[in-house]
Amino acid sequence: MSVKTADIVDSVRAMTWTGKSLRLLDQRYLPAEEKYVDLHTAVGVAEAVRNMVVRGAPAIGVTAAYGVVLAAKKAYQQDRYRWRELVETDLVILAAARPTAVNLAWALARMRDRFRFVEEDPVPVLLNEAAAIHREDIDANHRMGELGAAIIADCLNVLTHCNTGSLATGGYGTALGVIRTAFARGTLVSVFVNETRPWLQGSRLTAWECRQEQIPVTVIADSAAGALMQQGKVDAVVVGADRIAANGDVANKIGTYSLAVAARHHGLKFIVVAPCSTIDRETSCGGDIPIEDRGGGEITEFAGQNIAPAGLAAWNPVFDITPASLVDVLVTEKGVIDQPDSCKIEALFSQ
């Protein structure tokens, strides 16, 4: 079945520019409630990123770009001659919101380069640039959807981890975009979703997105993934990434590494889908990627209630590193890399 991704409608958007503010779908309330927040300052945007109102590396990058628009608007109103100097304070705050997601730093650098030579009111120029980043991310996701769907054309059921759909991107999705395209083409029957402890991005967000698009979805406990593979109920693993090092090592939601190990043991393809903006060529390997630790409370508490003995120590890294040697395919908007390594990644950028 020949279906172009441009013809596939995805109804979810994590962020929208209203003309005066940045409107975010507050993902902490899903799936029970669709609640939106309007942000008017860069500090508010940074808090929203840090507090998981919006999450997912590409979505964080797009959100940060609009945050720079708000920062410049405030700075220019304060002093039209010193606004570049004043805006830097907000940019530092934005950059510190989520250190692992490289799209954040990438978007801030691109916005900073854009306002360097602006002489008049910077808001119109920066808003155009933020909108371009947003649009380019959606276009990249559509392209990756096409490339990735071809790779899993013989797969009836796939397993994914965390949330990589419209909620985690500018729109359409990375790994979930591939799943969306394959399902629309009639090659994919269903998707299995890890719950993704402790924030449950899989069971709350990915399952919700699949329901919105009528994609058959089954949620499993994170610890059930190995048994799922052992029983032959899944044909491939498709995930996203928050940062990819120059050698192909992948930083993604905690639990991704375990899936890669299990997939290799069971002879299943392990596929990573991410735009080139997620590839950090300045970081040589996964060991150099900063891993965010959000504290033990997210492990020992749920909805404000203790689910473990009070005062219990807990380790809560948000991401883990999957070595490039366990990645069978890396899908980007520029092309597909089998068994990615530093040479292949560098060649991708030299095209």
Side-chain angles (χ1 to χ4, degrees):
M1 182 179 180
S2 179
V3 177
K4 294 182 179 180
T5 56
D7 298 326
I8 304 171
V9 177
D10 58 314
S11 57
V12 177
R13 285 294 178 269
M15 74 290 295
T16 306
W17 180 258
T18 69
K20 295 182 179 180
S21 64
L22 177 62
R23 179 167 296 164
L24 298 179
L25 174 58
D26 194 334
Q27 300 181 28
R28 299 172 300 180
Y29 291 89
L30 291 172
E33 181 182 359
E34 293 184 36
K35 182 177 180 179
Y36 292 84
V37 294
D38 287 317
L39 303 172
H40 297 85
T41 67
V43 172
V45 170
E47 291 176 352
V49 170
R50 184 168 49 252
N51 294 331
M52 306 285 280
V53 173
V54 63
R55 23 68 48 210
I60 289 173
V62 174
T63 298
Y66 286 118
V68 175
V69 177
L70 295 172
K73 180 179 180 180
K74 183 188 74 172
Y76 191 73
Q77 289 174 344
Q78 288 178 338
D79 191 328
R80 65 176 56 195
Y81 302 106
R82 294 178 55 245
W83 67 267
R84 287 186 183 82
E85 176 185 343
L86 296 174
V87 82
E88 286 297 331
T89 300
D90 281 345
L91 265 62
V92 169
I93 294 172
L94 284 167
R98 295 293 301 275
T100 302
V102 73
N103 299 67
L104 173 59
W106 171 85
L108 292 178
R110 177 166 162 176
M111 295 295 287
R112 183 181 280 110
D113 286 343
R114 192 69 185 88
F115 71 58
R116 186 172 298 170
F117 302 106
V118 177
E119 298 298 333
E120 302 298 329
D121 183 357
V123 172
V125 173
L126 293 180
L127 182 56
N128 284 338
E129 191 70 10
I133 290 173
H134 195 170
R135 183 174 59 253
E136 289 166 15
D137 184 64
I138 296 174
D139 291 343
N141 291 342
H142 279 277
R143 177 58 178 158
M144 289 185 290
E146 294 178 354
L147 295 173
I151 294 170
I152 63 169
D154 59 346
C155 297
L156 297 179
N157 307 287
V158 299
L159 171 66
T160 192
H161 187 60
C162 198
N163 173 259
T164 57
S166 297
L167 291 172
T169 64
Y172 199 73
T174 55
L176 194 54
V178 168
I179 291 168
R180 194 190 307 274
T181 303
F183 179 74
R185 291 180 176 176
T187 60
L188 188 69
V189 174
S190 70
V191 55
F192 288 89
V193 177
N194 274 351
E195 60 183 344
T196 322
R197 282 277 294 149
W199 273 79
L200 304 175
Q201 293 99 321
S203 57
R204 289 193 306 108
L205 305 181
T206 298
W208 180 79
E209 280 202 55
C210 287
R211 279 287 185 88
Q212 300 298 307
E213 312 302 336
Q214 299 184 331
I215 299 172
V217 58
T218 301
V219 176
I220 64 171
D222 294 355
S223 54
L228 187 78
M229 298 178 195
Q230 186 181 54
Q231 294 180 22
K233 294 184 177 181
V234 65
D235 304 306
V237 180
V238 188
V239 301
D242 285 85
R243 185 184 298 208
I244 300 173
N247 71 339
D249 291 349
V250 175
N252 195 49
K253 182 57 58 183
I254 191 73
T256 302
Y257 171 54
S258 301
L259 291 180
V261 172
R264 180 60 54 89
H265 177 76
H266 291 94
L268 302 180
K269 273 189 177 180
F270 186 83
I271 303 164
V272 176
V273 187
C276 288
S277 58
T278 301
I279 300 176
D280 182 4
R281 297 159 71 198
E282 301 301 317
T283 299
S284 61
C285 66
D288 295 330
I289 296 176
I291 300 298
E292 180 184 358
D293 189 325
R294 292 185 62 86
E298 293 181 351
I299 301 292
T300 61
E301 298 176 7
F302 185 78
Q305 299 295 318
N306 285 334
I307 56 175
L312 188 71
W315 182 50
N316 185 24
V318 184
F319 308 97
D320 56 25
I321 304 297
T322 299
S325 59
L326 293 177
V327 178
D328 294 299
V329 183
L330 171 60
V331 179
T332 78
E333 76 276 24
K334 288 181 176 288
V336 174
I337 302 176
D338 294 321
Q339 289 80 49
D341 58 27
S342 56
C343 292
K344 294 176 181 178
I345 287 176
E346 192 59 34
L348 181 74
F349 282 91
S350 64
Q351 293 178 5

